[in-house]
Amino acid sequence: MLKDAEKREIYDQYGEEGLNGQMGGMGGMGGFDIFDMFTGRAHSGAGGRPRGPVKAETVRHDLPVTLDELYNGSVRKIRVTRTRCCKECGGVGASKKEAVKTCTRCNGHGSINEVRQVAPGFMTQVRKSCPQCVGEGKIVDKQFVCKACHGKKVVSEKKTLDVHIDRGMHDRSKIVFEGEADEKPGVLAGDIIFVLTEKRHGTFTRDGHNLIMHKKIQLSEALTGVEFVVEHLDKRKLLIKNKAGEVIRTDQVKQITGEGMPHHRNPYEKGNLYIKFDVEFPKRIPEDVAQ
């Protein structure tokens, strides 16, 4: 039976129909016990079908990676800490199930009414989590509290995850570990997601499947020919030189086909490497050349 204070709260919010349990005009929710809306016992979805099990929150971590790792692939071992249901007590928090009792303060609802004064002569009633059972609706007899979890129902656990960074993955790519986050009784374990964040590289800049590098050369090299070695991300040495008689202009771009980034899930297909030249002009012409 509802107490007077609870009836007043329901009447203030839903009117006489609420007291009678008639929810037909309130979002199509007919058939529910109105008090269940406050106690958390209403768990049906549209059409009265029961919802599936609740899943804990997803945990996201930024994982800084180098361009070398994204080119060659890598495996990172990441140690995480998460909660798991206590195996000692089966997630009830007590050494025996009979020691778990209904909270006497909230009568198992997990929340209580609290009257607050909002202005002189004006009172309001709010619903808040029960401080005695911390919103769970159940309390454990202290002499039977589980020694493994200390009545918390869950224990902390460490685990090392092998995070596989595939060749060709991109900045902001996500690697998902399902069910590896926190778990608690009645709630499925959440997921852990690692979000890759690409670090700046000293030589190359990535543009999709392509790599771009800038190369400074002297005016004499631009006119007579240039030859240099580029160490790639897999430590291979690429010999770069221009064609005989070719004059290189500032901002000219040379394409090296197939030496860009591997495609994700198809690493044998690669983009291109583009070398952008910056021709440095001398501050003055030597006298023997100028004459």
Side-chain angles (χ1 to χ4, degrees):
M1 180 176 293
L2 297 177
K3 299 178 181 178
D4 290 341
E6 293 168 340
K7 288 182 179 180
R8 169 55 60 187
E9 181 182 4
I10 295 171
Y11 183 85
D12 290 344
Q13 190 167 359
Y14 297 106
E16 186 174 349
E17 287 186 350
L19 288 175
N20 295 329
Q22 303 298 322
M23 299 296 293
M26 310 187 75
M29 298 176 67
F32 284 129
D33 183 340
I34 181 63
F35 192 58
D36 286 351
M37 301 298 294
F38 296 98
T39 62
R41 294 199 298 263
H43 295 297
S44 296
R49 293 188 301 272
R51 295 175 181 171
V54 178
K55 191 169 185 176
E57 291 184 1
T58 296
V59 177
R60 298 174 184 269
H61 296 287
D62 285 339
L63 181 60
V65 293
T66 64
L67 192 58
D68 306 67
E69 289 178 291
L70 296 174
Y71 183 90
N72 298 296
S74 176
V75 179
R76 291 277 197 90
K77 291 188 178 294
I78 307 295
R79 194 168 177 82
V80 298
T81 302
R82 76 271 181 88
T83 59
R84 282 292 182 265
C85 290
C86 178
K87 295 180 180 179
E88 190 71 24
C89 65
V92 298
S95 58
K96 61 179 184 177
K97 293 184 179 180
E98 294 77 10
V100 181
K101 305 293 184 181
T102 299
C103 177
T104 55
R105 183 163 184 180
C106 66
N107 294 321
H109 299 144
S111 57
I112 60 173
N113 290 321
E114 183 180 80
V115 178
R116 295 178 183 176
Q117 180 174 327
V118 294
F122 291 92
M123 308 296 289
T124 186
Q125 191 170 200
V126 296
R127 199 77 170 169
K128 72 171 189 176
S129 178
C130 176
Q132 182 167 292
C133 64
V134 198
E136 294 189 1
K138 302 287 183 180
I139 55 175
V140 178
D141 189 328
K142 292 183 178 179
Q143 62 179 326
F144 296 107
V145 170
C146 175
K147 295 181 179 179
C149 66
H150 306 290
K152 296 180 180 179
K153 303 180 182 180
V154 294
V155 294
S156 181
E157 177 184 275
K158 295 184 183 295
K159 184 176 181 179
T160 300
L161 301 177
D162 289 335
V163 183
H164 291 262
I165 302 166
D166 297 336
R167 297 181 63 192
M169 277 187 162
H170 292 263
D171 181 56
R172 310 311 298 174
S173 288
K174 296 179 176 62
I175 302 173
V176 181
F177 287 83
E178 295 185 357
E180 295 292 355
D182 291 338
E183 174 191 65
K184 60 182 180 179
V187 178
L188 296 178
D191 301 335
I192 295 179
I193 298 180
F194 292 97
V195 182
L196 305 185
T197 57
E198 182 184 319
K199 296 180 181 178
R200 183 186 297 274
H201 194 271
T203 302
F204 303 106
T205 301
R206 183 177 184 175
D207 182 11
H209 295 128
N210 300 317
L211 289 172
I212 300 171
M213 68 168 288
H214 292 261
K215 177 65 177 178
K216 289 185 177 182
I217 61 174
Q218 299 299 316
L219 177 60
S220 58
E221 294 178 298
L223 297 174
T224 62
V226 63
E227 182 176 315
F228 58 94
V229 173
V230 174
E231 183 177 275
H232 212 307
L233 295 166
D234 56 1
K235 305 303 180 183
R236 287 181 297 119
K237 303 294 193 297
L238 303 181
L239 177 62
I240 309 297
K241 60 181 179 180
N242 62 332
K243 297 178 182 179
E246 178 186 11
V247 175
I248 299 176
R249 304 180 304 277
T250 292
D251 293 335
Q252 182 173 327
V253 176
K254 184 177 183 64
Q255 175 181 306
I256 313 299
T257 304
E259 290 295 350
M261 290 293 294
H263 292 209
H264 187 216
R265 304 188 191 284
N266 188 13
Y268 295 104
E269 183 177 350
K270 297 180 181 179
N272 301 320
L273 168 62
Y274 293 96
I275 302 175
K276 187 175 182 180
F277 291 99
D278 180 11
V279 180
E280 291 188 312
F281 283 77
K283 294 181 179 180
R284 59 187 302 276
I285 302 175
E287 294 181 0
D288 57 339
V289 176
Q291 293 178 353

